């Protein structure tokens, strides 16, 4: 009987250990036949509650994107366009300081394929992705798509330019076996609405708000502001009574809104709602946006005027003389054309920024901009007495243009930074970006104080209190940026500069300390570097264990990842506590094994895992397989305290945001080591 209970206990212990192998995403694949030569490969992912995986387009510097690799395509098939995906949520990560694009609950990916080999029976697709909750897991699976009967002629040449049209799918063949990793769980395709509607509405509201501010800024430029009293006076004098004047002004305002909303609609229609969002991560479009914004900035600073052809304005002006609603509509169009030299750069910037959000954002942006532009014309027509309270036109209007020019210039470098991050060119690292912003805003402060004049500025005998106040505000912001060169987080502009990790030195300019993985220094043990908070750390298991044995200290084995959010949270908010930091620096040897390290192993060190059957090709693969094989776990962060002979001193723990609980766990392991 004792043996029975012992076996039973061993069985449940085995189950509890095996339960640590997490697989929060189950997949179902299918093939949709589109024509005699084309099929659509469909991947449906079902994501467990509270877990999330990441889009293919999630920005660099954050969590790992989902990656699709189509095997043996040459001579067999061609991809038609890119892999399409269902709508995702956009969530700002204050750890990585970037927007992250993620799926919750479910995700769907589709790829149209043109078959060129009439004898092709199946297509193999390798998918790599990251899924996170309190822990993060790097997963990879291979799917085998069995093709339905096709009518492919051997002489046919594939054409790869069209997009996926799921509505035209004629037949669907559901796979019985979805991967060679024996993924057994499947999920029926759901018709629920996409996730993230609240976040989408919130994003559109913020776009409307900032576009409204942009419209207000355009209102204060020398091309638009003087038009307010002139236009309102025209309506009040030409109308037979006050009511008619108010009505005409309201129609005029609505016409302005219609013109700009139509512009936003055209941008969305031409590029496509989904395509616009994809552009935000495209290197060449980010570079084009950078050049465009620098061009706009130069115009605002007085280098040249952006003008539409005078013939356009003359033709529209003649149509405005017709009177009635048509005449008022053409008056609004005339305003848009005549004021283009001032409003064009602002409209262009707003469209560029809104286009990077995708969907109907350009329409919402133009609605916000035009509402701010039209509102004063309507209000002053209703209350003409208010015109007396308007400040007189003068040099201050050009000052507004110049300030906008400096802001355009600063924003331009955000787009260049996006391109640099995607390319990983390291030409515009955090320090360089901040140095440029310090130069731009510092120059703007000097301009506001009257120390610099530009081509269209009026002679300045003194500066107003308002201009002085704005100058002090800009100068304060410039001074605030300076410590960022020495590693200050600069939370006020979080998300604009590159992340702290994308830096010449994680410790700031001029600091000789090491910080990155692989940094070694004189006097350090072999394979050691300074990790988070200057903790001596190893990224090689054998070297770390050898050092721990030589100094007779326990080992804190840290399974982590470069793109692991909660790993960074633990380091930033728990390890940084003085009582914990002292333990990590003085009482243990830290070995951090990065499971997403993409560096290739030497050929003689590559192998096939006995545990999972997968090919181990990278350093990250090696440490991930090590975690699964030795500890039956695959999530990060994952912490274990070992003695020098690799015996466990405590039960492993994962994400533990309670610093007291984590400290108690550390101390219990150290206490057992000393016994």
């Amino acid at each position: 009987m004792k043996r029975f209970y012992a076996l039973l206990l061993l069985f449940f212990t085995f189950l509890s250990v095996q339960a640590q192998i997490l697989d929060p995403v189950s997949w179902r694949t299918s093939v949709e036949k589109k024509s005699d030569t084309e099929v659509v490969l469909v991947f449906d992912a079902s994501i467990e509650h509270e877990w999330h995986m990441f889009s293919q387009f999630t920005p660099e510097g954050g969590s790992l994107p989902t990656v699709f690799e189509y095997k043996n395509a040459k001579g067999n098939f061609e991809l038609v366009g890119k892999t399409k995906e269902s709508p995702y949520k956009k969530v700002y990560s204050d750890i990585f300081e970037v927007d992250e694009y993620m799926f919750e609950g479910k995700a769907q990916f589709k790829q149209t394929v043109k078959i060129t080999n009439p004898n092709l029976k199946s297509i193999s697709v390798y998918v790599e992705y990251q899924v996170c909750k309190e822990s993060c897991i790097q997963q990879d699976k291979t799917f085998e798509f069995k093709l339905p009967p096709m009518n492919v002629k051997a002489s046919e040449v594939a054409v790869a330019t069209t997009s996926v049209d799921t509505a035209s799918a004629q037949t669907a063949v559901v796979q019985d076996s979805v991967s060679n990793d024996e993924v057994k769980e499947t999920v029926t395709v759901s018709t629920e609405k996409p996730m993230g509607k609240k976040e989408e509405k919130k994003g559109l509201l913020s776009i409307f708000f900032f576009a409204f501010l942009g419209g207000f800024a355009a209102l204060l430029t020398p091309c638009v502001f003087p038009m307010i009293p002139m236009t309102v006076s025209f309506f009040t004098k030409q109308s037979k009574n006050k009511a008619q004047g108010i009505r005409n002004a309201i129609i005029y305002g609505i016409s302005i809104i219609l013109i700009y909303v139509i512009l936003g609609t055209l941008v969305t229609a031409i590029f496509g709602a989904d395509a616009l969002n994809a552009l935000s991560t495209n290197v060449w479009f980010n570079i084009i946006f950078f050049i465009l914004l620098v061009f706009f900035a130069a115009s605002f600073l007085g280098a040249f005027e952006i003008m539409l052809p005078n013939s356009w304005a003359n033709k529209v002006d003649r149509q405005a003389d017709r009177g009635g609603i048509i005449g008022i509509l053409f008056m609004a169009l005339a305003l848009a054309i005549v004021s283009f030299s001032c409003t064009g750069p602002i409209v262009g910037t707003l469209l560029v920024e809104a286009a990077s959000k995708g969907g109907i954002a350009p329409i919402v942006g133009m609605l916000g901009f035009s509402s701010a532009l039209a509102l004063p014309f309507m209000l002053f027509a209703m209350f003409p007495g208010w015109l007396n309270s308007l400040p007189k036109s003068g040099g201050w209007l050009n000052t507004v243009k110049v300030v906008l020019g400096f802001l355009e210039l600063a924003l331009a470098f955000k787009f260049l930074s996006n391109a640099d991050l995607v390319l990983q060119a390291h030409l515009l690292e955090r320090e360089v970006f901040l140095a440029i912003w310090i130069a731009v805003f510092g120059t703007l402060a000097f301009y506001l104080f009257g120390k610099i004049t530009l081509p269209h500025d009026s002679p300045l005998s003194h500066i107003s209190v308002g201009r002085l106040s704005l100058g002090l505000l800009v100068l304060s912001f410039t001074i605030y940026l300076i410590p960022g060169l020495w590693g200050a987080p600069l939370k006020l502009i979080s998300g604009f500069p590159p992340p702290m990790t994308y830096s010449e030195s994680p410790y700031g300019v001029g600091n000789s300390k090491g910080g990155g993985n692989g940094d070694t220094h004189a006097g350090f043990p072999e394979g050691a570097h300074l990790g988070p908070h200057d903790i001596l750390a190893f990224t090689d298991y054998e070297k770390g264990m050898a050092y721990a044995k030589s100094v007779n200290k326990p080992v804190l084995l840290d399974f982590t990842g470069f793109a692991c959010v909660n790993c960074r949270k633990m380091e930033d908010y728990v390890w940084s506590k003085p009582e914990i930091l002292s333990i990590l620096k003085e009482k243990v040897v830290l070995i951090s094994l990065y499971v997403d390290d993409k560096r290739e192993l030497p050929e003689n060190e590559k192998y096939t895992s006995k545990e999972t059957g997968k090919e181990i090709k990278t350093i990250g693969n090696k440490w991930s397989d090590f975690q699964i094989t030795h500890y039956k776990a695959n999530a990060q962060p994952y912490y274990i305290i070992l003695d020098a002979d690799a015996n466990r001193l405590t039960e492993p723990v994962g994400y533990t945001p309670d610093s007291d609980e984590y400290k108690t766990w550390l101390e219990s392991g150290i206490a057992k080591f000393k016994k």
Side-chain angles (χ1 to χ4, degrees):
M1 197 67 180
K2 288 182 179 178
R3 289 183 179 179
F4 173 75
Y5 283 121
L7 287 171
L8 194 64
L9 179 62
L10 183 62
F11 174 73
F12 282 111
T13 302
F14 175 78
L15 286 181
S16 66
V17 169
Q18 289 300 314
Q20 293 176 349
I21 300 293
L22 302 175
D23 191 8
V25 182
S26 57
W27 294 83
R28 181 185 177 92
T29 62
S30 62
V31 178
E32 296 175 349
K33 187 174 180 181
K34 191 173 180 182
S35 69
D36 286 340
T37 58
E38 287 188 342
V39 295
V40 180
L41 308 183
V42 182
F43 308 78
D44 283 298
S46 177
I47 308 166
E48 289 183 10
H49 181 58
E50 294 185 348
W51 289 85
H52 52 266
M53 64 184 291
F54 298 89
S55 163
Q56 304 166 88
F57 311 113
T58 195
E60 293 283 341
S63 300
L64 297 179
T66 299
V67 177
F68 292 85
E69 183 181 337
Y70 297 86
K71 302 280 190 177
N72 302 320
K74 189 174 182 181
N76 293 312
F77 62 89
E78 292 187 3
L79 303 181
V80 181
K82 296 182 179 179
T83 303
K84 308 295 182 183
E85 59 184 40
S86 54
Y88 50 70
K89 292 173 61 174
K90 183 180 290 187
V91 179
Y92 179 72
S93 169
D94 54 1
I95 297 297
F96 293 129
E97 298 181 333
V98 296
D99 285 326
E100 294 194 314
Y101 306 159
M102 60 181 65
F103 302 103
E104 291 182 350
K106 63 177 183 176
Q108 186 179 73
F109 305 89
K110 292 189 175 187
Q111 175 65 57
T112 300
V113 173
K114 180 85 170 182
I115 307 299
T116 57
N117 179 2
N119 299 317
L120 185 66
K121 301 300 182 184
S122 65
I123 295 176
S124 181
V125 184
Y126 173 79
V127 184
E128 187 177 32
Y129 58 95
Q130 183 179 44
V131 57
C132 294
K133 187 175 69 169
E134 289 184 347
S135 304
C136 286
I137 304 170
Q138 278 70 49
Q139 295 277 65
D140 60 271
K141 299 185 185 297
T142 301
F143 300 98
E144 196 74 23
F145 289 86
K146 296 178 183 177
L147 298 178
M150 308 292 288
N151 186 23
V152 181
K153 296 179 182 178
S155 60
E156 282 187 333
V157 179
V159 180
T161 54
T162 58
S163 61
V164 176
D165 180 7
T166 57
S168 66
Q170 298 173 357
T171 179
V173 180
V174 179
Q175 306 297 98
D176 295 323
S177 175
V178 298
S179 82
N180 64 356
D181 292 323
E182 296 183 0
V183 183
K184 296 178 181 177
E185 296 180 59
T186 58
V187 50
T188 304
V189 179
S190 172
T191 57
E192 293 175 357
K193 293 181 180 179
M195 300 293 290
K197 290 297 181 183
K198 290 183 179 179
E199 288 77 7
E200 183 180 345
K201 289 179 181 177
K202 185 178 178 181
L204 292 177
L205 283 174
S206 64
I207 290 170
F208 180 88
F209 174 73
F210 286 112
F212 189 88
L213 291 181
F216 184 72
L219 195 67
L220 300 179
T221 58
C223 310
V224 181
F225 188 81
M227 302 282 287
I228 297 174
M230 292 169 55
T231 306
V232 171
S233 297
F234 172 81
F235 283 130
T236 54
K237 290 177 181 178
Q238 296 297 320
S239 303
K240 295 179 180 178
N241 51 56
K242 183 178 180 181
Q244 187 181 13
I246 293 174
R247 187 202 68 179
N248 290 342
I250 291 174
I251 294 173
Y252 181 70
I254 293 173
S255 300
I256 293 173
I257 294 173
L258 281 174
I259 289 167
Y260 285 101
V261 168
I262 289 171
L263 176 61
T265 305
L266 288 173
V267 169
T268 304
I270 292 169
F271 290 100
D274 294 331
L276 284 171
N277 191 64
L279 295 183
S280 65
T281 56
N282 183 281
V283 172
W284 290 110
F285 273 94
N286 273 286
I287 292 173
I288 290 169
F289 290 163
F290 164 73
I291 296 170
L292 192 63
L293 292 188
V294 170
F295 179 77
F296 289 158
S299 172
F300 269 154
L301 294 174
F304 49 81
E305 293 270 329
I306 301 174
M307 299 288 290
L308 291 177
N310 288 330
S311 59
W312 292 16
N314 294 334
K315 289 178 181 178
V316 170
D317 195 47
R318 285 196 295 270
Q319 293 296 324
D321 294 334
R322 295 170 57 180
I325 295 177
I326 298 297
I328 295 173
L329 179 62
F330 276 101
M331 280 185 65
L333 186 58
L335 171 70
I337 293 172
V338 171
S339 63
F340 185 79
S341 61
C342 292
T343 60
I346 300 175
V347 170
T349 303
L350 290 173
L351 284 174
V352 164
E353 186 63 25
S356 70
K357 309 298 182 186
I360 62 169
I363 300 173
V364 174
M366 289 300 94
L367 179 62
F369 175 84
S370 57
S371 296
L373 204 62
L375 195 59
F377 290 97
M378 293 188 283
L379 288 177
F380 283 113
M382 293 177 183
F383 308 99
W386 289 4
L387 289 172
N388 297 326
S389 63
L390 283 178
K392 294 181 180 180
S393 300
W396 68 274
L397 291 174
N398 189 67
T399 302
V400 172
K401 274 187 68 176
V402 171
V403 170
L404 290 174
F406 278 104
L407 294 178
E408 293 258 6
L409 190 59
L411 182 61
F413 283 94
K414 171 58 180 170
F415 287 94
L416 187 61
S417 173
N418 290 344
D420 185 61
L421 282 167
V422 173
L423 290 172
Q424 288 289 292
H426 289 272
L427 298 176
L428 195 62
E429 293 179 317
R430 186 178 176 90
E431 293 90 346
V432 178
F433 183 96
L434 290 175
I436 292 170
W437 268 37
I438 290 168
V440 170
F441 286 103
T443 306
L444 173 57
F446 276 107
Y447 172 80
L448 291 170
F449 291 140
K451 302 300 181 183
I452 298 173
T453 56
L454 291 171
H456 299 297
D457 285 330
S458 303
L460 192 66
S461 58
H462 66 281
I463 60 174
S464 65
V465 174
R467 182 165 174 163
L468 176 64
S469 301
L470 182 59
L472 290 171
L473 182 65
V474 173
L475 181 61
S476 300
F477 178 70
T478 306
I479 295 171
Y480 168 79
L481 293 176
I482 294 173
L485 297 173
W486 282 267
L490 304 180
K491 293 183 179 180
L492 279 180
I493 58 168
S494 183
F496 275 92
M500 296 282 285
T501 54
Y502 198 75
S503 169
E504 291 182 1
S505 168
Y507 289 87
V509 175
N511 198 321
S512 60
K513 292 180 181 179
N517 287 311
D519 293 342
T520 56
H521 300 272
F524 280 17
E526 184 185 358
H529 71 278
L530 286 179
H533 313 295
D534 290 349
I535 302 168
L536 190 71
F538 292 83
T539 55
D540 184 276
Y541 177 78
E542 298 296 339
K543 292 177 180 178
M545 292 298 290
Y547 177 72
K549 196 166 191 174
S550 69
V551 296
N552 194 32
K553 287 183 179 181
V555 167
L556 175 60
L557 190 58
D558 165 33
F559 288 99
T560 183
F562 296 116
C564 173
V565 175
N566 284 333
C567 302
R568 300 294 84 75
K569 285 184 178 178
M570 286 293 294
E571 294 164 5
D572 292 347
Y573 303 126
V574 178
W575 288 14
S576 61
K577 300 283 184 181
E579 63 274 18
I580 292 176
L581 189 57
S582 62
I583 293 174
L584 298 180
K585 283 188 173 183
E586 299 167 11
K587 298 182 179 180
V588 299
V589 173
L590 176 64
I591 303 177
S592 294
L593 304 180
Y594 288 82
V595 301
D596 57 358
D597 191 331
K598 300 300 182 185
R599 288 178 294 170
E600 288 274 334
L601 287 167
E603 285 299 324
N604 62 339
E605 293 184 22
K606 294 179 180 179
Y607 65 97
T608 299
S609 170
K610 294 180 181 178
E611 187 74 20
T612 64
K614 295 180 181 179
E615 188 180 356
I616 306 303
K617 298 184 292 185
T618 67
I619 293 174
N621 293 158
K622 175 183 174 181
W623 299 134
S624 178
D625 184 57
F626 182 83
Q627 182 185 5
I628 292 171
T629 302
H630 289 80
Y631 303 107
K632 308 304 177 187
N634 64 340
Q636 299 80 42
Y638 193 73
Y639 306 106
I640 311 164
I641 299 180
L642 307 173
D643 64 17
D645 295 319
N647 299 311
R648 283 193 291 184
L649 300 174
T650 60
E651 285 301 311
V653 298
Y655 178 60
T656 311
D658 187 324
S659 56
D660 292 333
E661 181 183 343
Y662 192 73
K663 178 173 178 285
T664 301
W665 176 79
L666 283 172
E667 289 175 337
S668 66
I670 294 169
K672 288 185 179 180
F673 177 80
K674 292 179 178 179
K675 288 183 179 180

